[in-house]
Amino acid sequence: MLAGCGPAPRWYKGNLHTHSYWSDGDQFPEVILQGYRERGYDFVAISDHNELADTERWVTVSAIPNGERSLAEYLRAFGEPWVEQRDSSGQLQVRLKRFAEYAARLGEPGRFLVVRAEEITDRFDSRPLHVNATNVRDFIPPQGGVSVADVLQRNIAAVLAQRQATGQPMFPHVNHPNFGWAVTAEDLMGLEGERFFEVYNGHPLVHNDGDSLHPSTDRLWDIVLAHRLTRGLGVVYGLAVDDAHNYERMDSTEANPARGWVMVRARELSADAVIAALEAGAFYASTGVVLEDIRVSSERLRLVIAGDSGVDYVTEFVGTRAGFDARAEDVAEVEGLPVTRRYKLDIGAVLSTVEGLEPAYQFRGDELYVRARIRSTRPVAHPVRAGEVERAWVQPVVVRQGGG
């Protein structure tokens, strides 16, 4: 997938959406990062809400979630004098380490990368609108706006403006569009500079699968792709993330770690290299399925799945052909919130279904794009819903730009 000189690319596992005591998570950043390292992750972005963890902050142990238990774990893992404690009017307090401190303690060149991020947390009326800024340098306040699309656009533009001004690679991505049923496909399809969104989010309240009136995030992806490519706005890639908040109790009702991640094929473990690979589409999203290789040529898309004994794998190659039927039916608002219009099924059609470990799809030439989704028969370790099995999503290959 990647050409040129230098080290051969390899796969790196990472999570781009994580929360700590700096916002509404229930654990100290160092403990969170150590947990990801122990689970085999190569990079993690802690993306607290409207926060860059660069100020002096003490938390009262009795006032934070799981405070006493988390402090005990923190002390066991890192000990004194790293864990700074004080008495404040009879209340035990602990100082939260700044990003620079915990990144230096947990990061290790070539082995574990800690990425600075911010979840820009905004809203329009009652709708929660969140955009992650990955590898951000300076704090970005919520930008506001006059509509859902306008709020998203202003926050995306703010991230890209900082990248332009600083020269530091960074990117925005739209978080959990079905959280609060806040974002429709129509809100997403015209955004400029939008390259990434969450096709899978491990939080139990984000409605990845949609419902009888709202499309799943997988379906949203196809609607957005078809219309963006027809308009010349470019491809959008799908991320899988944890959106982890809860680290003490693994349960379907909790926002736990290790539910969704990206596997990025890069030449080295650095923020610059990981972001370059993500922006090139050299990654896949997963909740457990492991790929050995993704091979793209002018003629076909071919995958090599790292299968396990006793587990079956089915790959659906999904796409939309040029000249698709763009007509859509309006759907009545639900509790005052707009709903994505109902589009024809030739958008995001299943072009081919293949069983086994080396599925391939031969391009016909009239596809706007082709992507792949893989489903295994193995249940995920910590499901959000009953019957959840391990899956993976391969990024769309643009075959034909435009609708003609």
Side-chain angles (χ1 to χ4, degrees), residues 7-20:
R10 53 154 290 192
W11 294 109
Y12 294 103
K13 181 178 182 178
N15 182 38
L16 296 169
H17 193 162
T18 321
H19 296 277
S20 75

Side-chain angles (χ1 to χ4, degrees), residues 195-207:
R195 299 286 307 281
F196 302 93
F197 91 115
E198 293 173 356
V199 67
Y200 178 87
N201 179 301
H203 197 292
L205 301 178
V206 300
H207 308 294

Side-chain angles (χ1 to χ4, degrees), residues 154-398:
R154 287 172 182 269
N155 286 299
I156 289 166
V159 180
L160 298 178
Q162 186 179 125
R163 176 174 180 160
Q164 179 67 27
T166 64
Q168 178 164 304
M170 64 185 72
F171 68 89
H173 84 251
V174 174
N175 298 343
H176 42 56
N178 281 348
F179 177 53
W181 305 117
V183 181
T184 67
E186 291 79 18
D187 294 321
L188 293 172
M189 63 178 59
L191 296 176
E192 296 183 2
E194 161 67 347
R195 299 286 307 281
F196 302 93
F197 91 115
E198 293 173 356
V199 67
Y200 178 87
N201 179 301
H203 197 292
L205 301 178
V206 300
H207 308 294
N208 293 314
D209 298 316
D211 64 11
S212 61
L213 292 175
H214 301 86
S216 68
T217 50
D218 196 276
R219 175 68 175 156
L220 276 175
W221 194 6
D222 287 302
I223 296 168
V224 171
L225 279 169
H227 285 81
R228 286 181 65 85
L229 292 174
T230 301
R231 299 175 188 180
L233 287 175
V235 70
V236 170
Y237 297 126
L239 305 169
V241 302
D242 282 337
D243 196 358
H245 291 69
N246 310 117
Y247 305 90
E248 299 304 304
R249 187 171 75 99
M250 302 297 285
D251 186 81
S252 62
T253 63
E254 305 278 9
N256 293 141
R259 281 190 172 137
W261 55 88
V262 289
M263 295 295 296
V264 180
R265 198 174 189 188
R267 294 193 181 281
E268 64 180 20
L269 186 58
S270 68
D272 288 6
V274 167
I275 290 173
L278 285 163
E279 293 184 328
F283 73 99
Y284 65 93
S286 181
T287 64
V289 171
V290 176
L291 303 184
E292 293 181 358
D293 202 4
I294 301 171
R295 301 172 187 172
V296 181
S297 70
S298 60
E299 298 180 346
R300 67 177 180 169
L301 169 60
R302 180 171 178 259
L303 314 177
V304 180
I305 301 169
D308 287 322
S309 177
V311 181
D312 296 326
Y313 300 85
V314 175
T315 299
E316 292 179 321
F317 292 96
V318 178
T320 302
R321 301 188 187 279
F324 67 91
D325 189 344
R327 292 175 297 173
E329 300 174 9
D330 289 334
V331 178
E333 291 187 350
V334 177
E335 297 182 352
L337 298 179
V339 178
T340 294
R341 302 175 74 203
R342 189 166 290 115
Y343 291 84
K344 305 298 183 182
L345 295 181
D346 59 348
I347 293 177
V350 177
L351 307 175
S352 176
T353 300
V354 183
E355 298 180 358
L357 300 181
E358 295 194 14
Y361 177 82
Q362 193 84 13
F363 302 133
R364 204 169 78 175
D366 63 347
E367 304 94 342
L368 288 175
Y369 67 91
V370 177
R371 63 184 183 90
R373 59 189 179 214
I374 305 103
R375 179 181 296 270
S376 79
T377 55
R378 181 161 54 198
V380 299
H382 301 289
V384 173
R385 58 173 177 78
E388 193 172 359
V389 295
E390 294 181 346
R391 293 179 288 169
W393 296 262
V394 174
Q395 303 311 311
V397 178
V398 177

